[in-house]
């Protein structure tokens, strides 16, 4: 049996033999593409290459891309081939080979390398693609009776590059079909399985709907690894392959169930297996659970897996245990995940624990809603209520539907979908509004190979000028622009570091440089505003980099490397960077850790960093290949994507990281490193904020000024402030104790006065009085003391009036309650007299009113009601 790992490797090596560059899978988090939450196709990371905006490292590329899609999440586990996570094998040509090679090589790989029976294969083409038809027939020798023309075999998304496609299907046999006499390729049954799609990008769809032939045609193919494995391993579905089934086996053992015995059980096991793969890789690529964006996608997938675990009877956290199984499957394909195993498990564990709590909260709300519906005689559980449970508490609608059905109610699924659609539209509108400001320059036709970065450059020529992504030749004062220089000293933002800023001065215009950004191919473009005059393409400008600001940024960036290394020393090797901000004013470092860093640990970290700074070590920066960098011990950071040539930043004997940011030449330039705060940013992520250099000096000046001001107020020397504060605190405590003693004696005296007004009614001793108290707590304390003096059949009725309200308290001893006294009814009657309300238990009740002037009348009402109660 050919394993899934073997199929993946054979595919990549086959296309490497056809002069393709093998690239590793891009992270699931898209780079410089605000239109995507997650990578969902093999071609997604290469969109700039397909559009011509950027030049690929080689015109022929092959990959196995990690992908996540959730559009059909409800079908996962119910069909043989729906997944949220899958691996897409692909070969790509950017203006190099075209249909002939794509078709011939796909046939060669499937029949000669994988050994699929040619007679079992079918192909589809677009109805008008005679070129593809001829290639299949003449170059491959494919039987024309198994070439099917379909109108839908055309790939396009709005305007832009598009073209026909040819899909390769395998006939799995009549036993897998629907049995209909007209069953054929394109049928919805499982007999004909699509295993490869060859997209021939040969047109550009224009705004008017017309199609213009592309000068350079591209190839984009995608073959599902799981589907190929199911065919070669002769499994009924993707889930039984060695890429997924070990996870099913794990879940079945935890749930004490058997796979293949019950359709419902099998669905849940498949969902858990698929979703375990998704959450493992998403967290491994730097995604964390949240209520928005890709974090919400992760949370939804993870919680759906937990719900299916509950359907199998699993009541304890279990999903984190599946990580080891997933990583064993991916060990050779994605070895970088192995080192993150503990982190991935901890993130899942925390989210799983959290969801178990929300499930309980959601269940309580659901029960209340059902009870209210039954009392009103309704038979349908509202869609908006179901959506609130889903949206606010993460309560799956499927579970809501199941519970309400057990109670004889139907779920308004249409209402739920309407509420869901409304939310999606709001999210889409917000996303589009946000994306409207994003305008990456279109560099089509520009020779970017001659552009360069030089921190010491003082003059440059404008080679590209853009507004809203479109090329222009001139811009005038007030215009917001993007521009490309032949040489730039402005370091681009990236890796958490903010970009450099500065000015450009020309003969007839000045530009304030506000931002510098880098495209995936390394091209730097600037954004700014023309403050006076005009700027034109081809014009030469003098450059004024804000060097003081750039140096502050460099100090903070190098300090983050020292901080990272120190945290690993003090807290543990599990610490990994989970995000950062490197600005001119401060640095912020997010890292994986599951408890607050103690004050002592923070002191140790701060001390280690400053001791390193005092050693005045040089910062070594070299460029090398990834393998050499790893051999050197350089650390790659979470979620970062690196090219073939990487930049290694090393502080000898202490820190070595892959990094493209700005750094000082010697760590002594950092100056003092001072931690400002340590906080939590979410599940399993802590955050440290710190300052260096001039900003640490300013911070200390502020602290010293505050200390001196405090000393002045305390009339002591600065070093005596702690002792003086401790003395004052002791004086406050002693004064408070004395005051409480006096208040207690005053209350006792007030109780003694109240007891002189005790009356009796049929054996029940009671007192009614208007009292003066500071607050409700003191009113209760007074009532407790008075009741204790009245004996087993005592009743205390008190009222306390203030400027605009009145508070009532009634307390009844056990014997009085036995004689018919009900404090709640008494206080309710009193409150009604004063325009208020309230109630409570038979032995104690409180209430309030809005008319304090009627307090005497309310006390008389209490006596009247008491007379009716006492038996």
């Amino acid at each position: 049996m050919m394993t899934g790992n073997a199929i993946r490797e054979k595919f990549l090596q086959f296309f490497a033999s056809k002069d393709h560059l093998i690239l590793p899978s891009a992270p699931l988090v898209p780079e410089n593409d605000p239109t995507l939450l997650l990578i969902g196709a093999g071609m997604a990371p290469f969109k700039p290459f397909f559009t011509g905006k950027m030049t690929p490292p080689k015109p022929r590329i092959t990959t196995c891309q990690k992908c996540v899609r959730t559009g059909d999440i409800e079908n996962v586990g119910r069909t043989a081939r729906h997944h949220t996570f899958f691996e897409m094998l692909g070969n790509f040509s950017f203006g190099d080979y075209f249909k002939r090679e794509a078709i011939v090589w796909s046939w060669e790989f499937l029949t000669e390398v994988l050994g699929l029976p040619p007679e079992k294969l079918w192909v589809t083409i677009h109805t008008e693609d005679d070129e593809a038809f001829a290639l299949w027939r003449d170059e491959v020798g494919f039987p024309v009776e198994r070439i099917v023309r379909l109108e839908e075999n055309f790939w396009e998304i709005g305007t832009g590059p598009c073209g026909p496609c040819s899909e390769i299907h395998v006939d799995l046999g009549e036993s897998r079909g629907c049995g209909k006499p007209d069953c054929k390729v394109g049928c919805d049954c499982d007999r004909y399985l699509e295993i490869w799609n060859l997209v021939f990008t040969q047109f550009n769809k224009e705004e008017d709907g017309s199609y213009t032939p592309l000068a350079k045609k591209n190839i984009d193919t995608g073959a599902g690894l799981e589907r190929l494995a199911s065919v070669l391993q002769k499994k009924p579905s993707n889930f039984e392959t060695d890429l997924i089934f070990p996870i099913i086996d794990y879940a079945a053992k935890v749930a004490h169930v058997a796979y293949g015995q019950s359709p419902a059980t099998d669905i849940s096991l498949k969902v858990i297996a698929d979703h375990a793969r998704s959450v493992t890789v998403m967290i491994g690529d730097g995604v964390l659970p949240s209520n928005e964006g890709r974090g919400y996608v992760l949370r939804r997938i993870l919680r759906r897996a937990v719900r299916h675990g509950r359907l199998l009877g699993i009541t304890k956290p279990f999903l984190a245990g599946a990580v080891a199984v997933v990583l064993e499957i991916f060990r050779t394909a994605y070895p970088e995940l192995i080192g993150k195993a503990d982190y991935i498990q901890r993130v899942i564990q925390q989210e799983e624990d959290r969801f178990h709590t929300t499930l309980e909260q959601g269940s309580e709300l659901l029960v209340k809603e059902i009870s209210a519906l039954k009392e009103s005689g309704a038979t349908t559980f509202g869609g908006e209520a179901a959506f609130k449970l889903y949206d606010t508490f993460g309560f799956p609608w499927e579970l809501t539907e199941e519970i309400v059905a057990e109670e004889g109610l139907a779920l308004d699924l249409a209402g739920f979908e309407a509420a869901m659609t409304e939310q999606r539209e709001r999210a889409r509108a917000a996303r589009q509004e946000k994306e409207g400001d994003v305008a990456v320059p279109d560099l089509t036709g520009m020779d970017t190979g001659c552009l360069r970065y030089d921190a010491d450059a003082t003059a440059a020529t404008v080679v590209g000028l853009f507004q809203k992504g479109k090329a222009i030749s001139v811009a005038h004062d007030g215009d917001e622009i993007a521009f490309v220089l032949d040489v730039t000293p402005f370091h681009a933002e990236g890796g958490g570091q903010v970009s450099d800023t500065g000015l450009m001065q020309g003969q007839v215009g000045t530009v304030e440089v506000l931002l510098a950004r880098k495209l995936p191919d390394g091209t730097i473009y600037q954004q700014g505003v023309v403050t006076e005059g005009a700027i034109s393409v081809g014009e030469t400008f003098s450059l004024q980099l804000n060097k003081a600001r750039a140096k502050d940024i460099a100090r903070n960036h190098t300090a983050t490397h020292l901080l990272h290394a120190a945290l690993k020393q003090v807290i543990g090797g599990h610490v990994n960077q989970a995000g950062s901000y490197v600005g001119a004013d401060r640095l912020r470092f997010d890292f994986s850790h599951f408890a607050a860093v103690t004050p002592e640990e923070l002191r140790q970290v701060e001390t280690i960093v400053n001791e390193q700074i005092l050693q005045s070590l040089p910062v070594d920066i070299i460029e090398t290949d990834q393998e050499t960098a790893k051999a050197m011990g350089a650390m790659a950071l979470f979620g970062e994507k690196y090219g073939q040539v990487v930049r290694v930043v090393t502080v000898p004997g202490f820190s070595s990281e892959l990094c493209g940011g700005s750094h000082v030449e010697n760590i002594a330039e950092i100056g003092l490193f001072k931690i400002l705060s340590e906080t939590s940013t979410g599940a399993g992520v802590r955050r440290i904020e710190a300052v260096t250099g001039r900003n640490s000096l300013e911070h200390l000046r502020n602290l010293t000024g505050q200390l001196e001001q405090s000393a002045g107020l305390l009339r002591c020397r600065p070093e005596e402030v702690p002792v003086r504060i401790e003395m004052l605190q002791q004086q406050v405590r002693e004064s408070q104790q004395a005051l409480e003693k006096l208040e207690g004696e005053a209350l006792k005296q007030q109780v003694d006065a109240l007891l002189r007004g005790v009356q009796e009614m049929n054996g029940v001793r009671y007192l009614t009085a208007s009292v003066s108290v500071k607050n409700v707590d003191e009113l209760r304390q007074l009532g407790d003391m008075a009741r204790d003096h009245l004996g087993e059949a005592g009743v205390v009725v008190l009222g306390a009036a203030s400027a605009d309200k009145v508070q009532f308290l009634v307390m009844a001893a056990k014997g009085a309650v036995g004689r018919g006294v009900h404090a709640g009814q008494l206080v309710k009657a009193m409150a009604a007299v004063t325009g208020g309300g309230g109630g409570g238990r038979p032995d104690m009740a409180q209430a309030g009113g809005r008319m304090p002037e009627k307090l005497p009348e309310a006390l008389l009402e209490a006596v009247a009601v008491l007379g009716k109660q006492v038996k």
Side-chain angles (χ1 to χ4, degrees), residues 279 283 287-292 294-307 317-320 343-359 392-395 594 682-684:
V279 299
I283 296 170
V287 182
L288 289 171
S290 70
N291 285 326
E292 59 182 32
R294 57 184 64 98
Y296 182 74
V297 174
L298 170 61
R299 174 165 284 167
R300 181 188 178 198
I301 294 173
L302 193 154
R303 292 186 170 190
R304 193 167 186 268
V306 173
R307 184 190 82 83
F318 72 96
L319 197 58
Y343 176 78
I344 295 169
Q345 287 175 322
R346 291 193 180 206
V347 172
I348 292 175
Q349 182 73 51
Q350 285 200 349
E351 181 67 12
E352 206 171 351
D353 290 341
R354 183 176 180 181
F355 184 46
H356 277 288
T357 301
T358 61
L359 274 175
T392 305
F393 297 97
F395 208 73
F594 294 85

Side-chain angles (χ1 to χ4, degrees), residues 33-44:
D33 190 345
T35 66
L36 291 177
L37 277 181
L38 295 161
I39 296 295
M43 60 75 63

Side-chain angles (χ1 to χ4, degrees), residues 157-161 204-209:
I157 302 178
T159 57
N204 189 75
K205 187 175 182 180
E206 308 296 344
E207 295 287 348
D208 61 3

Side-chain angles (χ1 to χ4, degrees), residues 1-8 10 109 113-115 228-229 232-233 242:
M1 181 185 77
M2 192 179 296
T3 66
N5 286 330
I7 297 169
R8 185 193 299 109
K10 284 179 180 292
F109 179 73
V113 179
L114 298 187
L228 284 173
L232 291 167
Q233 296 173 15
D242 67 332

